[in-house]
Each structure stands twice: as C-alpha cells, then as structure tokens.
Amino acid sequence: MWILFQEGGYPMWFLICFGLLTLISAAAFAHKPKRQKLRLTLGLGVTTLCSIATGVAADVAAVGHQAPDYLKAHPTESLATVLLQGVAESLSPAIFGGFILTIVALWVSVGLWRGYTD
C-alpha cells in the first residue's frame, strides 16, 4: 500500500484527506442512519471522486513532462516501456481511491439497510 501511495505522488495527500473524511462520514451513517449524514457522505464521496480524477490527471501530466528527460538519462529504455510504467504509476490514485469508495459504498449500504430517519 505504501508503494501505491508513493507512486501516486503529491495528489495522494488530498485523496487521503478527503477519503478519510468520507470514510468517517459513511461509518457515522452506518452507525446511526440519518438523512443529513447521508447527504454529507454523498458530498464527500463526490469530493473524493474528484480527487481521484485530479490525481490521475496530474500524474499523467507529470509522466508527459518527465518521460523525455528519463529517456535521455536511460537510453536503453524504449518510449513504450517508459510510458507504460508511467501510466501504471498514474493509476495509483484510481486504485487507492476506488478502494476507499468501495468501503464507503459498503457502509452506506449498511446504513440504508438499517433504515434512516430524519
């Protein structure tokens, strides 16, 4: 998990912050289902989803900027190898954030199953 976090780079810090807030909100909703908690969880979930998209975009942009310099420093590597490795690392926010949102969806499902009140 640490390697995944490292490969995602700086945007992963935003994902951690928003993801943890979303997890806490979903757990609170599962514990005591209320409409207000559900709305907060959904809003934070969208924020986490936007962090995932922004993180992937920032990582892909970083690969685009750094690939030429990497190729100059490592002439034995091919462009395809460098780009494939870069894309793999760029997907780290999607993997990490998808895991968080999966747990959030589970907890929201538990809260909905238990029935929420106003």
Side-chain angles (χ1 to χ4, degrees), residues 13-29 37-48 51 100-101 104 107-108:
W13 288 104
F14 292 100
L15 186 54
I16 283 285
C17 291
F18 296 133
L20 283 176
L21 289 173
T22 308
L23 284 168
I24 291 167
S25 179
F29 176 73
K37 290 179 184 178
L38 177 60
R39 289 180 180 158
L40 177 62
T41 302
L42 292 176
L44 287 170
V46 170
T47 304
T48 302
S51 292
I100 290 172
L101 291 179
V104 166
W107 286 347
V108 167

Side-chain angles (χ1 to χ4, degrees), residues 11-104:
M12 295 294 276
W13 288 104
F14 292 100
L15 186 54
I16 283 285
C17 291
F18 296 133
L20 283 176
L21 289 173
T22 308
L23 284 168
I24 291 167
S25 179
F29 176 73
H31 176 68
K32 193 171 183 182
K34 298 247 184 221
R35 186 179 303 254
Q36 186 177 15
K37 290 179 184 178
L38 177 60
R39 289 180 180 158
L40 177 62
T41 302
L42 292 176
L44 287 170
V46 170
T47 304
T48 302
L49 189 61
C50 290
S51 292
I52 292 169
T54 303
V56 170
D59 288 350
V60 168
V63 169
H65 284 288
Q66 295 174 9
D69 293 335
Y70 186 86
L71 281 171
K72 286 178 188 174
H74 302 88
T76 59
E77 296 290 333
S78 69
L79 178 61
T81 303
V82 172
L83 291 180
L84 285 173
Q85 182 64 37
V87 168
E89 291 178 5
S90 297
L91 291 175
S92 294
I95 296 166
F96 194 79
F99 173 73
I100 290 172
L101 291 179
T102 299
I103 301 301
V104 166

